[in-house]
């Protein structure tokens, strides 16, 4: 009765705590949602044929409604597309970046394509996402800023965040699959015990009801109901530790997966390098020739001219709360001009109606300029896919001009060929090879009288005049190099995935230690062959300060047409190169010390035309430059296909898809939770990556420890009960309660307190339960427990004081010199026995029961101590003070029960008195079990050299795809084929779907759904 009552109370308490926790989470989510769900909005509705504006609650909005956005800060209650005017929004909830983003209205197009297809990858620049904050609006000729509602509720950006918290993506992790299999084994184990129980009790003539009860008891004992809770305990504590370190998690199931990460993809700008850029110099161009470089800071200011105007207006900066806000690159570039932004609400621009234009004017420190100011009439915001941004500007009282800035190679392609210097490629590579970030500038004049809003991006960004190169210094973050060295020492691959120039990326990778000084970089260049459906691929060693390689790199970036001197794979011809260089490169290649670098364009062509080569390239691919967001997602998925456990660390904006696709995506952001990724770090450095891996490894090992302990605890109890069933005996209610509550529950709660070990070791914990060391550990400890209990059960029956019928004879036989007191005690105890005859009939009290229960209870403590692993993945066990104190306290209580001879206590616990010699014998048996268990665990189970030797002896090799591929390539002396060109077949594999990577309703949705 007492046991049943305790179970009911525990169950009710567990249900109450679960409901309370769910309630707390629901309240938090409700607050997250209601901030934008209960606001008043202005919509345009049709009434009796006339359009009128009316205000209503935001939860009444439906797709198709036309919103009117007023001046001032506003939270967006839905996803909407801007159809007139311009907005500045704070998308930090969405991307994790607090930089204001400019949104422009949907362009007027003559074609009948759906807007998403017409805008291509640039469509997000017209969409206002739910949960983001509009901080500024600028109306056009119509006088109001309008947007059409696209999505509401859970289909919006914020709805996707809430849904990802409510229903996280299920992770197909081996640990969870193996846990289910192990549970099935325990159920089979329990079935055997049930059959045994039925046979024993039925053959002894027990009633059918009693037989059923005893059989069902076996199931609850063999299959521990607390196992799922025990597995999540470590994750909960790890989540708390991560939160204290500024790392927030909205998908706790992925924490264990972090313990298996062996490849990390890093964005470059803002992740490996500083967010802020320092303006280093300007290389102006006049009459297709580069002029002398203008260094910053300089004694003399920049002279007035097209380059100065481009720096003053070609940006998306705003004045917010008295400060210039926007992209750090734009801020540095604009500050160099010493001009200021006039943050007045509107300016009447001649010929442009009542356009609310941003006007920039000379500041107090600015050099003299022949104009009063320049108005920015229209913006084409920066697009990762297009790698550029443009503005239409007009000098006050002057003509309209277009200014474009972006990736130099992209800007050069948009310029008239006669305006681009002949030495453009060599100059560009000269600076990118030093790790500078280089921006191209261009401009052109517009015809007078043409409305800026009527022009398409294609019309604006064509026939430009090249103005020069802006050179910016992007320093590595202080933490970058030590973190990458730590990951390298732990044999965790680091890969750079960036939108920047390939040479800049390679230089930064070398400076950061991602590519060591002795390793060779091989440029992989893939191009489509004009006029055919085939493509070519070339491998060239990238040697610094070599003109030929500059030329090869320029080809990879699409800066000049390919040389006609190419070779087929059937008859490759080597380029001329010095024998010493060739020998040095070959030596590096033979030792596997080489890295591939490729651009996003080459990656896409390889994925389409050279699919069979892609895994080989990824195996040593370290730098991926000029990658679009879709290509980043695709790359992460391709790494996962090679059986890598992939982490992605980025800023949350352009990396959003890759962050979601990766096993563990870490967004460097100030937000606690964002739709960008499962993990968010408030510390804006990659130091959070090894921290997360350490905690993930500790959580994974804790899960294994808890799993082993729960399995052993239930098995120990199961074996003890089956032994006692042989004599129609069993554990008493308080005995079960003591083992379940006082021992196992407390251990289950405190065992997971052990923190992560501060050093990352060069190997990972096992990812599955069905691994030889873990299974051997469980099996051997089960055998030790079985031997201990069977030995105690059998030997106690051989003792001279043992009596099957008189359970009080043992203590009487050794206390004959106290005959009187013994007689009184005997009478009293016999009286108790007679008074509790029903309890004795249940078969609880016996020498076997006392021996087996005491041995099994202390055995649970032994197993808990032995299984509580410390190094190399967790801190030493003695650092978990609470757990050690709990074990000492529990051991003290158990030893007290062993040696105490308190009649009332023994009666309640269904124990009987045994001679002191037998009690000492039990302690010796337990000490031997502890020594054997500890010795096996340390000398065999945790002996890594022994398992490596066994693997080598039996020629066991990893089944991971990338490991198998590594072994194949080690035997291939012809890989990689240097200075050779291969052609693909004419049939290309369509990868348009896969190039999109992760499909997220926030950012990608079917046109029909709109």
């Amino acid at each position: 009765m007492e046991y049943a009552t305790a179970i009911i109370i525990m169950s009710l308490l567990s249900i109450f705590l679960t409901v309370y926790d769910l309630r707390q989470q629901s309240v938090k989510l409700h607050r997250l949602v209601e901030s934008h769900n209960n606001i008043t909005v202005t919509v345009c509705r049709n009434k009796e044929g006339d359009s009128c504006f009316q205000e209503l609650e935001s939860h009444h909005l439906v797709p198709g409604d036309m919103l009117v956005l007023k001046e001032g800060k506003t939270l967006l209650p839905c996803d909407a597309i801007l159809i007139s005017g311009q907005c500045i929004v704070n998308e930090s909830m969405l991307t994790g970046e607090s930089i204001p983003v400019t949104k422009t209205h949907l362009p007027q197009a003559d074609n009948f394509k759906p807007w998403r297809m017409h805008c291509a990858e640039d469509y997000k620049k017209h969409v206002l996402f739910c949960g983001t904050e509009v901080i500024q609006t600028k109306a056009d000729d119509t006088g109001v800023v309008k947007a059409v509602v696209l999505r509401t509720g859970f289909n919006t950006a914020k709805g996707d965040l809430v849904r990802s918290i409510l229903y996280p993506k299920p992770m197909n992790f081996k640990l969870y699959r193996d846990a289910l299999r192990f549970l099935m084994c325990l159920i089979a184990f329990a079935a055997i015990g049930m059959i045994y129980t039925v046979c024993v009790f039925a053959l002894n003539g027990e009633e059918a009801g009693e037989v059923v009860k005893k059989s069902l008891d076996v199931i609850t004992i063999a299959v521990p109901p607390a196992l799922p809770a025990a597995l999540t305990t470590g994750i909960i504590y790890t989540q708390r530790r991560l939160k204290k370190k500024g790392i927030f998690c909205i998908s706790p199931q992925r924490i264990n997966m972090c313990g298996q990460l062996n490849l990390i993809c890093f964005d470059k700008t803002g992740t490996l390098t500083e967010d802020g850029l320092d303006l280093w110099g300007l290389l102006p161009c006049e009459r297709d020739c580069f002029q002398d470089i203008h260094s910053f800071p300089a004694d003399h200011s920049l002279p007035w001219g097209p380059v100065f105007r481009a720096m003053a207006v070609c940006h998306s900066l705003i004045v917010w709360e008295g400060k210039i806000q926007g992209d750090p690159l734009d801020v540095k570039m604009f500050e160099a001009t010493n001009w200021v932004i006039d943050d007045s609400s509107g300016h009447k621009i001649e010929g442009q109606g009542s356009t609310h234009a941003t006007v920039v004017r000379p500041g107090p420190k600015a050099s003299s300029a022949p104009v009063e100011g320049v108005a920015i009439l229209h913006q084409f915001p920066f697009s990762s896919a297009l790698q550029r941004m443009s503005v239409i500007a007009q000098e006050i009282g002057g003509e309209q001009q277009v200014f474009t800035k972006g990736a130099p190679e992209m800007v050069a392609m948009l310029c008239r060929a006669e305006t681009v210097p002949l030495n453009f490629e060599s100059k560009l590579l000269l600076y990118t090879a030093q790790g500078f970030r280089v921006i191209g500038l261009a401009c052109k004049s517009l015809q007078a009288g043409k409305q800026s809003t009527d022009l398409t991006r294609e019309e604006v960004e064509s026939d430009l005049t090249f103005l020069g190169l802006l050179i910016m210094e992007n320093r590595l973050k202080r933490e970058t190099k030590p973190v990458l060295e730590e990951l390298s020492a732990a044999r965790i691959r680091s890969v750079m995935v960036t939108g920047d120039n390939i040479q800049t990326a390679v230089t930064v990778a070398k400076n950061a230690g991602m590519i060591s000084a002795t390793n060779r970089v091989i440029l992989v260049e893939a191009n489509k062959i004009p006029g055919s459906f085939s493509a070519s691929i070339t491998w060239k060693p990238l040697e610094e300060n070599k003109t030929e390689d500059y030329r090869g790199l320029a080809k990879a970036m699409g800066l000049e047409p390919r040389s006609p001197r190419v070779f087929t794979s059937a008859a490759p011809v080597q380029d001329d190169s010095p024998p010493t260089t060739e020998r040095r490169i070959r030596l590096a290649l033979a030792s596997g010390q080489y890295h591939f670098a490729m651009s996003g364009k080459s990656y896409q062509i390889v994925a389409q035309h050279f699919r069979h080569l892609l895994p080989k390239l990824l195996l040593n691919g370290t730098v991926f430059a000029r990658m679009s967001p879709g290509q980043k997602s695709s790359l992460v998925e391709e790494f996962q296909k090679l059986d890598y456990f992939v982490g992605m660390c980025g800023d949350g904006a352009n990396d959003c898809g890759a962050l979601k696709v990766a096993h563990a995506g870490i967004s460097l952001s100030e937000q606690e939770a964002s739709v960008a990724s499962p993990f968010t770090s408030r510390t804006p450095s990659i130091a959070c990556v090894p921290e997360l891996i350490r905690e993930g490894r500790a959580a994974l090992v804790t899960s294994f420890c808890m799993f082993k302990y729960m399995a052993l605890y239930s098995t120990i109890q199961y074996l003890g009960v089956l032994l006692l069933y042989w004599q129609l005996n069993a554990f008493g209610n308080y005995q079960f309660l003591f083992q379940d509550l006082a021992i196992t529950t407390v251990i289950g709660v405190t065992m997971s307190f052990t923190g992560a070990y501060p050093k990352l070791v060069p190997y990972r914990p096992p990812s599955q339960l069905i691994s030889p060391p873990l299974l051997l550990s469980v099996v051997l400890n089960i055998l030790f427990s079985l031997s201990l209990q069977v030995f105690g059960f059998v030997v106690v029956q051989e003792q001279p004081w043992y009596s099957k019928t008189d359970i009080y004879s043992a203590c009487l036989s050794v206390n004959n010199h106290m005959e009187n007191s013994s007689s009184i005690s005997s009478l009293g105890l016999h009286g108790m026995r007679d008074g509790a005859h029903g309890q004795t009939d249940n078969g609880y009290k016996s020498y076997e029961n006392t021996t087996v229960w005491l041995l099994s209870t202390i055995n649970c403590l032994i197993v808990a101590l032995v299984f509580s692993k410390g190094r190399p993945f967790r801190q030493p066990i003695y650092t978990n003070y609470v757990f050690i104190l709990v074990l000492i306290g529990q051991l003290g209580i158990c030893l007290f029960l062993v040696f105490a001879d308190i009649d009332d206590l023994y009666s309640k616990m269904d124990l009987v008195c045994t001679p002191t010699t037998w009690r000492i014998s039990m302690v010796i048996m337990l000490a031997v079990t502890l020594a054997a268990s500890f010795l096996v665990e340390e000398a065999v189970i945790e002996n890594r050299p022994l398992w490596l030797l066994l693997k080598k002896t039996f020629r066991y090799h990893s089944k991971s795809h990338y490991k198998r591929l590594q072994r194949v390539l080690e035997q291939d002396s012809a890989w990689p084929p240097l200075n050779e060109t291969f052609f693909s077949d004419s049939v290309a594999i369509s990868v348009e779907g896969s190039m999109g990577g992760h499909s997220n309703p926030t950012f990608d949705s079917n046109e029909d759904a709109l």
Side-chain angles (χ1 to χ4, degrees), residues 255-520:
I255 291 176
N256 272 342
M257 198 161 277
C258 293
Q260 285 294 302
L261 295 180
N262 55 1
L263 186 148
I264 311 291
C265 296
F266 292 100
D267 182 33
K268 183 181 76 70
T269 309
T271 304
L272 296 174
T273 59
E274 294 286 356
D275 233 342
L277 296 162
D278 292 324
L279 201 57
W280 186 84
L282 174 68
L283 193 63
C285 171
E286 286 182 22
R287 295 185 298 276
D288 75 6
C289 289
F290 282 117
Q291 307 300 305
D292 293 337
I293 191 164
H294 180 93
S295 299
F296 294 96
D299 296 332
H300 62 283
S301 57
L302 198 64
W304 174 256
V307 176
F308 188 98
R309 288 197 294 274
M311 291 174 64
V313 300
C314 196
H315 54 73
S316 55
L317 301 174
I318 64 161
V319 176
W320 183 27
E321 297 177 348
K323 288 179 65 179
I324 293 177
Q325 302 275 354
D327 188 281
L329 184 151
D330 288 350
V331 173
K332 287 287 183 182
M333 180 184 73
F334 183 70
E335 285 176 348
T337 64
N338 290 319
W339 278 37
V340 294
I341 298 174
D342 188 343
D343 59 344
S344 304
S345 57
H347 297 276
K348 181 78 173 177
I349 305 299
E350 188 178 339
Q352 294 297 319
S354 58
T355 301
H356 287 245
T358 299
V359 174
V360 292
R361 303 180 188 277
K365 298 180 181 177
S367 58
S368 59
V371 294
E372 181 188 340
V374 182
I376 302 169
L377 304 179
H378 190 69
Q379 286 185 19
F380 296 96
F382 177 77
S383 164
S384 300
L386 300 176
Q387 299 175 1
R388 62 184 181 272
M389 74 159 291
S390 298
V391 297
I392 299 174
Q394 182 179 4
E395 293 179 12
I396 294 175
E399 64 173 2
Q400 291 182 32
Q401 283 186 303
V402 172
F403 294 95
T404 299
K405 82 169 191 299
E409 51 271 50
M410 186 59 67
V411 171
M413 286 171 62
L414 300 173
C415 293
R416 299 194 312 274
E418 62 270 18
T419 66
V420 181
L422 295 174
N423 62 339
F424 171 79
E425 296 90 359
S426 59
K427 283 287 185 184
L428 173 62
L429 294 171
L430 175 67
Y431 292 108
T432 54
Q434 298 173 61
F436 290 114
R437 186 169 183 185
V438 183
I439 306 296
L441 300 172
C443 75
K444 78 170 181 179
S445 297
L446 286 179
Q447 295 176 3
K450 202 162 189 180
Q451 288 283 343
S452 60
T453 52
D454 295 338
L455 295 169
T456 64
R457 190 160 193 161
E458 290 74 17
E459 290 173 330
V460 168
E461 295 173 342
S462 61
D463 297 326
L464 300 171
T465 299
F466 187 74
L467 293 178
L469 299 174
L470 196 64
I471 302 159
M472 310 197 84
E473 194 174 14
N474 197 193
R475 296 189 183 95
L476 281 176
K477 288 183 179 177
R478 184 168 43 85
E479 306 88 351
T480 296
K481 196 165 185 178
V483 166
L484 293 179
E485 286 173 354
E486 184 181 7
L487 294 177
S488 178
R491 293 185 184 173
I492 297 171
R493 265 187 74 185
S494 298
V495 171
M496 186 189 294
V497 189
T498 179
D500 209 341
N501 177 281
I502 193 166
Q503 181 64 62
T504 303
V506 168
T507 306
V508 169
K510 288 182 175 180
N511 293 340
M514 202 176 274
I515 299 172
S516 71
T518 57
N519 291 1
R520 294 289 162 189

